[in-house]
Amino acid sequence: MHSKVMKTRLGLLYLLAAAVLSLFSISRPVFAAEGAFIILPGEASRYSGQQGREGDFTELLATADETGGVLGFFRQTIAPKSGPPTHLHEMEAEFCYVVSGQFNFKLGERIVSAPAGAFVFIPRITPHTFQNIGTEPGVLLFGVTPGGFEKMFAERQGVDADTNQKLMAKHHMQVVGPPLR
């Protein structure tokens, strides 16, 4: 019985995530009326990765400013063997859908393989990281709620390590360990 309830909950969570992802899988706002907007392909603001992760890039699909603070949504293309240090978000829950590629995700102390089609939910204050373990770039769709964290990718373009640390603190992010290797 417990297994059936868990499968039902996971199924509902997956459907909810798929609905949210389908709403935001296209790019930059073209129409805004009473908070609604549409993003067209190829029009998302695009930012390169930080020093040491130059092969990665982030496209902002929806920011807190555009969603009334409800969420931030972004697409990341991650180079092979790349990924962030282990970190946590003090204010935001985070969710991720693996569009393409093969990733390992570390959630707390557990490491889980996440192929294309996998969905990951990360409650706030949960140490986590990921690594593209494939041989080609992989694509991840991320959401954070409440929104705001996603703006860090734009703000840290070309900054030094000290400024990057200050931006992470501003956006309630703490590095708590190394990247996966």
Side-chain angles (χ1 to χ4, degrees):
M1 181 68 170
H2 178 71
S3 177
K4 190 180 265 187
V5 170
M6 287 302 292
K7 284 182 182 178
T8 300
R9 284 183 182 169
L10 287 174
L12 290 173
L13 180 60
Y14 184 80
L15 287 173
L16 175 62
V20 170
L21 293 174
S22 69
L23 289 173
F24 294 103
S25 63
I26 52 181
S27 313
R28 203 79 266 127
V30 174
F31 173 80
E34 299 181 33
F37 61 87
I38 297 174
I39 309 278
L40 295 178
E43 295 183 358
S45 300
R46 185 175 168 159
Y47 302 98
S48 60
Q50 66 193 65
Q51 186 177 13
R53 293 184 62 199
E54 293 85 358
D56 299 348
F57 64 89
T58 300
E59 297 168 277
L60 297 185
L61 300 172
T63 65
D65 294 337
E66 297 162 336
T67 66
V70 174
L71 69 99
F73 202 76
F74 52 97
R75 177 176 34 232
Q76 289 193 314
T77 300
I78 307 296
K81 308 301 177 218
S82 188
T86 303
H87 62 281
L88 58 83
H89 304 279
E90 298 168 345
M91 302 286 292
E92 302 85 9
E94 185 172 28
F95 54 94
C96 176
Y97 179 78
V98 181
V99 175
S100 66
Q102 177 69 38
F103 290 84
N104 278 343
F105 274 80
K106 182 178 180 185
L107 305 169
E109 294 302 315
R110 186 175 59 151
I111 297 175
V112 179
S113 178
F119 177 81
V120 181
F121 175 74
I122 308 157
R124 68 182 192 90
I125 312 175
T126 301
H128 63 282
T129 189
F130 60 85
Q131 181 188 36
N132 178 349
I133 59 171
T135 59
E136 299 292 325
V139 177
L140 303 169
L141 287 175
F142 279 100
V144 291
T145 183
F149 168 76
E150 73 286 347
K151 294 187 230 176
M152 185 179 77
F153 298 105
E155 294 173 3
R156 73 176 181 194
Q157 293 299 291
V159 303
D160 60 29
D162 184 52
T163 303
N164 190 49
Q165 290 293 325
K166 290 176 183 169
L167 285 170
M168 285 190 293
K170 172 185 170 185
H171 290 284
H172 317 289
M173 178 181 165
Q174 273 185 38
V175 172
V176 294
L180 285 175
R181 295 287 174 230

